[in-house]
Amino acid sequence: MRGIRFTKDLVTHLSVLLLFLAITVVYFYPVLEGKRIMTNDNVVFLNSAQEIFEHREKYGEEPLWTNSMFGGMPAYLISTLFPGNLISHIDNLLKIFNIPVAAIFLTMAGFYILLLMFGLSPWVAAAGAIAYSFSSYLFIILGAGHNTKAYALAYMAPLAGSVILAYRRNAIMGALLLTWFLTLQIMANHLQITYYTLLALVVFGITELIFFIRQGQIIDFLKKSAILIAPLLIAVAVNFGTIITTWEYSKYSMRGESELSHPPGVRESGLTIDYATRWSYGIDETMTLLIPNFKGGASRPLDSDSETFRALRQNDQQQLINHFPQYWGTQPGTDGPVYVGALVMFLFVLGLLTVKGRDKWWLLIATALSVMLSWGRNFMPFTEFFMNYIPGYDKFRAVSMTLVIAEFTIALLAFIALHHIITGKVTLKEINKGLKRALIITGGILLLFIIFPGLAGSFTTVMEREQMLPSWLTNALIADRQAMLRTDAFRSLLFILAGAGTIYLYVKKSIGFRVLVVALLAIILLDMWPVNRRYLNEDKFVLPAHFQRAMAPTPADNFILEDEEYSRVLNLTVSTFNDASTSRYHHSIGGYHGAKMMRYQELIDSVLFAEIMALGRSLEQAESIEDITPSLRASPAINMLNTKYIIISPQSQPIENPFSMGNAWLAENVRYVKDSNEELRRLPLTDISTEVLIKETYRSPEVEKGAGGTGAAGDYIELISYRANELVYRSSTQDSRIAIFSEIHYPAGWQAYINGEKVDHIRANYLLRALPLPPGENEIRFHFAPQSYRTGNNTALAGSLVLLMLTAGYIFMLAKKRKV
């Protein structure tokens, strides 16, 4: 009988997985035509990582540094492989269907596993998994190209389920599953999602501790907690390469501590509160959990059928329609709302009213915490407390992302509530009372906004109110946005009525279990499918040939590519520091990355941006290229970064900068500065062709000797070999000299050698490398070989072997026990 049951269960689980795959493929049917999602973030990644891909293929080694963005930066947060991480092969196998199919399928499978751990029947768990996976945020981030975030979210549910399993049923099995799911989530390389997952589990742990204390089982709690330390250690070990290199880089990135002194009250490490809370969910905007278009949806223009477009056309101003988005909330912009589904919200409220025990409380507390944190600047005392006192919280931006916790906890409690109704854990009287109250609460809220949409606010943005738009335009905007809210409120009401009615019929035994599940699944898909297609549909998919055309080099690119010398490019035709297209074919002084180096950002803010703006003004006023010569001469930051080419039009020949300092040069004079503030302040006033700024702390006998050397007519230094990880120079000087290299100074990994002997190099001109040279002919080699990568890779191999052996051992024990 055990074999028959096992076979039956296996068939059921496989059937559910096939259902997940079928639904996902039907939604993303363009993948069957060979199409791929083309999103801004995907294109940014491909452009940013192009040099890394080429280096890996050409030299057969891992490029840990790239010069394609911001003058150079570690490749850790762009694309770095760790061969020692054997589990990465299993991770790749799980992603066999590729984005976006794999992300949605894995999310469904993960939530399905979680609900099975809670004892739900497979088909109810399947409905819950589909409901959770079709919450709008997951589709929105896939449409934006946030693939790592999507994969990290896929493992959030089974990871949490493993912890719950360990505390409540089987500590060893839970610990082993936790090891796997935590390993895979960390491997997805979106630490912000992992952080939020752990934040939710802290809430679970505290409530669980209270329960164990009340039951007089504190020792049991401590034992199980101790067992769960092992999964954390192993998961960290497997991913140690990524963790240690990211941690190392974080000290030098925008998340780290600045050497500049700041006024009192200004944060000197971590992200500033203004930056971290720029994307804060409005307090009233939380209603999007129930009404997707509560704030208008996404920041996209109103369509041609709108009242606004008709009003503009009547006034011959239809070309202005792009200035008036659907979204009218307080965020700077959004790709869409966080909508968990009308039926799911109804079941969540029903769960709050009917579910008993500790699950309701930790899920409610985690939901409330998630929502309040998402308010960010709109709930500043709470936000400041977390930024200042909760470890690690200040390292992440876009606080609205904390709503991923609410999406998870709301869906979990919703289907726990449904499970309790089906299994009779709630009495008929409690069910009827709960259904009525949940319907009054959710339906009543929806009716209020249907009848009185003005309760939602003004339906205009702050900018629109400041612009004092004419009344005919304001009235049209209000009419459109009110209509969007009322339509979505009405559709949510219909789905709630349908869901509540279906559950009522089941309770009254008018329909059976199968009809209940099929009906609820139909309601979920009829609700969520159309909403998600607003933000991710076939329009996002293109054939690979379209990618190639979109990223093909321009005439300006081709001109620069003919120059085989290693130099850098400034592209004025794009947003220099928010666009990575230049990095695909060139070494750019700009780019796009959420964690650029702190010193480079400070250079941008203090010097580089001002130089670029001045150059732009000169170009606007110039009648010939010669007219911008004074501006180029007065741009020390641009010139010291070896910016040889300036793109002013994709279709025309770029400007060649005659003042670019090249790959390396020899200083004639050294000016010592007392601190980084003085160094940065003096940089715009320094003639970098003759003078170099060096901080006092780098003064040494070798530096003093080089600084005291005198130049001769035949002295030179030149680059003779270039790789992303290694640069080789040749120099010849009659006396000791100080050489300055147009390369970013990064102390954690770059090693300098003169004639094969390792030497210390220093920082100059705020962020470049400098090196005292002995007289005579020398070969100078800079090699990037961080110890963190080697340590991380070796640790990953050890952790992988431990995990595989533990898994094999556990499976062997289960098989042996089954035979007995």
Side-chain angles (χ1 to χ4, degrees):
M1 292 297 292
R2 181 184 296 178
I4 294 173
R5 182 67 201 175
F6 175 78
T7 303
K8 183 179 179 181
D9 289 345
L10 183 60
V11 170
T12 301
H13 296 323
L14 289 176
S15 299
V16 168
L17 293 177
L18 287 174
L19 174 64
F20 292 163
L21 183 59
I23 290 174
T24 307
V25 170
V26 169
Y27 188 96
F28 297 117
Y29 71 88
V31 299
L32 300 175
E33 302 169 0
K35 293 182 177 180
R36 300 158 53 192
I37 284 186
M38 184 173 184
T39 66
N40 179 67
D41 278 36
N42 287 340
V43 173
V44 166
F45 167 71
L46 292 173
N47 287 334
S48 303
Q50 185 62 29
E51 183 185 39
I52 298 171
F53 297 154
E54 292 176 353
H55 183 109
R56 193 178 285 151
E57 181 178 353
K58 183 176 181 180
Y59 298 109
E61 66 177 13
E62 195 58 25
L64 305 177
W65 184 270
T66 176
N67 288 294
S68 64
M69 289 196 301
F70 304 118
M73 64 181 290
Y76 307 143
L77 299 183
I78 303 173
S79 174
T80 299
L81 302 180
F82 295 88
N85 186 343
L86 304 179
I87 311 303
S88 63
H89 300 293
I90 296 173
D91 180 57
N92 293 333
L93 183 63
L94 292 172
K95 298 173 182 175
I96 190 171
F97 300 117
N98 294 324
I99 282 288
V101 174
I104 297 296
F105 176 77
L106 288 174
T107 304
M108 288 181 180
F111 205 79
Y112 178 69
I113 292 170
L114 168 70
L115 293 181
L116 290 179
M117 291 176 177
F118 272 90
L120 275 69
S121 68
W123 292 109
V124 176
I130 293 168
Y132 170 69
S133 302
F134 265 76
S135 56
S136 67
Y137 186 72
L138 187 57
F139 284 76
I140 288 167
I141 62 175
L142 285 171
H146 300 169
N147 300 339
T148 59
K149 187 190 302 183
Y151 281 127
L153 282 172
Y155 297 116
M156 185 178 189
L159 191 160
S162 301
V163 174
I164 296 167
L165 177 68
Y167 276 106
R168 296 184 181 175
R169 290 168 56 192
N170 188 325
I172 301 301
M173 178 182 288
L176 182 60
L177 290 174
L178 174 61
T179 309
W180 275 100
F181 291 125
L182 182 57
T183 296
L184 290 169
Q185 189 186 61
I186 296 175
M187 201 176 300
N189 201 22
H190 201 290
L191 295 182
Q192 189 166 0
I193 296 299
T194 301
Y195 183 88
Y196 293 155
T197 303
L198 296 178
L199 192 62
L201 288 173
V202 167
V203 176
F204 165 79
I206 293 172
T207 56
E208 200 73 0
L209 173 61
I210 294 171
F211 176 82
F212 273 81
I213 291 174
R214 286 182 174 178
Q215 297 296 316
Q217 299 175 339
I218 184 66
I219 301 300
D220 189 34
F221 178 86
L222 294 176
K223 287 180 179 178
K224 291 177 177 179
S225 299
I227 290 173
L228 294 185
I229 294 175
L232 177 62
L233 295 176
I234 296 171
V236 167
V238 174
N239 291 283
F240 198 62
T242 302
I243 292 171
I244 190 173
T245 52
T246 301
W247 173 80
E248 181 180 73
Y249 176 58
S250 69
K251 295 185 292 184
Y252 304 100
S253 76
M254 292 170 59
R255 269 74 169 170
E257 187 173 345
S258 173
E259 283 191 24
L260 298 176
S261 58
H262 294 83
V266 176
R267 295 177 64 85
E268 296 190 16
S269 64
L271 300 178
T272 65
I273 290 181
D274 284 343
Y275 183 71
T277 60
R278 189 180 179 198
W279 269 267
S280 298
Y281 231 60
I283 294 176
D284 59 338
E285 196 171 354
T286 309
M287 284 300 302
T288 63
L289 295 170
L290 181 61
I291 307 170
N293 270 346
F294 187 82
K295 286 292 183 180
S299 299
R300 59 180 63 166
L302 291 157
D303 58 41
S304 57
D305 294 331
S306 64
E307 290 289 333
T308 302
F309 183 80
R310 284 193 286 270
L312 288 169
R313 185 171 56 191
Q314 289 171 3
N315 290 271
D316 294 324
Q317 297 182 42
Q318 59 267 31
Q319 73 277 5
L320 298 178
I321 189 64
N322 290 335
H323 295 279
F324 301 105
Q326 298 172 6
Y327 176 73
W328 56 278
T330 57
Q331 296 185 77
T334 178
D335 290 324
V338 177
Y339 176 58
V340 300
L343 178 58
V344 172
M345 278 301 297
F346 170 77
L347 289 173
F348 173 71
V349 174
L350 181 61
L352 294 176
L353 297 169
T354 60
V355 172
K356 300 179 180 66
R358 57 197 193 268
D359 281 329
K360 175 173 71 175
W361 296 112
W362 84 265
L363 291 171
L364 173 60
I365 294 169
T367 302
L369 177 65
S370 165
V371 169
M372 290 189 293
L373 286 175
S374 76
W375 292 340
R377 66 176 62 192
N378 300 309
F379 196 28
M380 195 57 88
F382 195 67
T383 299
E384 287 181 334
F385 173 80
F386 268 75
M387 290 286 288
N388 293 327
Y389 299 108
I390 303 302
Y393 189 77
D394 65 340
K395 302 299 181 183
F396 305 112
R397 59 176 181 162
V399 294
S400 59
M401 200 188 301
T402 58
L403 283 173
V404 299
I405 299 174
E407 288 183 286
F408 163 68
T409 52
I410 288 171
L412 179 54
L413 183 57
F415 281 87
I416 288 176
L418 183 61
H419 171 63
H420 283 194
I421 291 172
I422 293 172
T423 56
K425 292 184 178 181
V426 185
T427 65
L428 183 60
K429 182 179 179 181
E430 289 172 330
I431 294 172
N432 289 331
K433 188 177 179 180
L435 283 172
K436 185 185 297 183
R437 290 184 175 181
L439 188 57
I440 290 172
I441 293 170
T442 55
I445 291 172
L446 293 169
L447 276 174
L448 275 176
F449 286 112
I450 292 171
I451 299 170
F452 306 109
L455 293 172
S458 67
F459 291 93
T460 55
T461 66
V462 173
M463 185 177 296
E464 289 165 355
R465 293 193 293 274
E466 290 176 348
Q467 289 175 340
M468 301 291 289
L469 301 176
S471 59
W472 58 265
L473 181 53
T474 300
N475 292 337
L477 285 167
I478 292 173
D480 284 327
R481 291 164 178 166
Q482 279 192 356
M484 294 171 70
L485 186 152
R486 296 175 81 170
T487 299
D488 271 7
F490 184 71
R491 73 187 297 278
S492 289
L493 180 60
L494 289 180
F495 288 122
I496 285 175
L497 290 172
T502 302
I503 296 171
Y504 180 78
L505 290 174
Y506 173 77
V507 171
K508 292 296 184 181
K509 301 188 184 303
S510 298
I511 60 174
F513 173 75
R514 291 182 180 179
V515 175
L516 171 70
V517 174
V518 171
L520 293 181
L521 181 56
I523 292 169
I524 291 165
L525 289 176
L526 286 172
D527 178 12
M528 305 301 293
W529 195 291
V531 172
N532 289 335
R533 288 186 67 79
R534 297 175 186 176
Y535 312 109
L536 179 54
N537 52 48
E538 63 275 7
D539 294 341
K540 287 276 190 178
F541 290 81
V542 297
L543 291 169
H546 185 88
F547 266 95
Q548 295 171 4
R549 288 194 300 270
M551 294 189 286
T554 65
D557 293 328
N558 286 326
F559 180 88
I560 298 172
L561 289 171
E562 291 180 3
D563 185 349
E564 296 182 358
E565 290 185 2
Y566 164 51
S567 59
R568 294 197 178 90
V569 174
L570 165 61
N571 190 346
L572 297 179
T573 68
V574 298
S575 178
T576 304
F577 304 113
N578 292 287
D579 184 279
S581 59
T582 313
S583 301
R584 183 170 185 82
Y585 297 107
H586 313 298
H587 299 108
S588 175
I589 68 168
Y592 178 79
H593 200 282
K596 64 175 75 73
M597 289 185 65
M598 172 72 81
R599 282 189 169 272
Y600 203 86
Q601 182 63 54
E602 290 167 344
L603 182 76
I604 293 170
D605 295 339
S606 300
V607 184
L608 197 51
F609 184 75
E611 290 182 1
I612 292 173
M613 293 298 291
L615 180 58
R617 289 191 294 269
S618 296
L619 285 167
E620 289 176 358
Q621 300 168 5
E623 295 182 1
S624 65
I625 296 299
E626 288 72 20
D627 292 337
I628 68 168
T629 298
S631 181
L632 286 173
R633 182 185 290 111
S635 300
I638 290 176
N639 296 332
M640 75 180 191
L641 288 169
N642 189 20
T643 312
K644 184 177 180 180
Y645 294 102
I646 302 169
I647 299 176
I648 56 174
S649 168
Q651 304 303 317
S652 62
Q653 180 176 324
I655 296 172
E656 292 193 47
N657 178 15
F659 302 102
S660 169
M661 293 302 298
N663 305 117
W665 64 98
L666 302 169
E668 295 180 15
N669 302 300
V670 172
R671 178 187 291 270
Y672 292 104
V673 292
K674 63 179 181 179
D675 56 26
S676 293
N677 285 73
E678 183 184 356
E679 190 175 9
L680 193 58
R681 186 173 61 252
R682 283 190 174 276
L683 183 59
L685 309 175
T686 300
D687 181 358
I688 59 168
S689 64
T690 59
E691 188 172 65
V692 62
L693 301 174
I694 296 178
K695 197 175 174 182
E696 281 281 357
T697 52
Y698 288 114
R699 190 193 289 260
S700 68
E702 291 79 15
V703 173
E704 287 284 86
K705 190 173 182 180
T710 56
D715 288 358
Y716 73 89
I717 183 170
E718 62 180 354
L719 179 72
I720 59 174
S721 175
Y722 170 81
R723 287 192 190 186
N725 279 349
E726 184 176 81
L727 298 101
V728 182
Y729 304 81
R730 181 169 50 218
S731 71
S732 178
T733 60
Q734 291 189 16
D735 202 351
S736 297
R737 301 291 299 276
I738 297 289
I740 303 97
F741 304 86
S742 59
E743 302 299 323
I744 304 301
H745 180 268
Y746 182 73
W750 278 106
Q751 299 168 1
Y753 300 85
I754 296 179
N755 301 324
E757 182 179 346
K758 187 176 180 180
V759 294
D760 293 330
H761 65 287
I762 61 176
R763 195 187 70 236
N765 290 354
Y766 197 69
L767 54 62
L768 298 186
R769 301 173 205 164
L771 189 63
L773 298 180
E777 294 187 357
N778 299 293
E779 181 186 85
I780 304 107
R781 183 168 68 97
F782 280 98
H783 184 63
F784 191 58
Q787 180 62 41
S788 59
Y789 179 78
R790 293 193 295 274
T791 301
N793 196 52
N794 292 335
T795 307
L797 178 60
S800 299
L801 293 174
V802 169
L803 177 52
L804 292 173
M805 288 188 292
L806 286 175
T807 304
Y810 188 76
I811 293 173
F812 176 77
M813 289 176 59
L814 285 181
K816 186 176 180 180
K817 185 178 180 181
R818 197 173 190 84
K819 288 180 181 180
V820 174

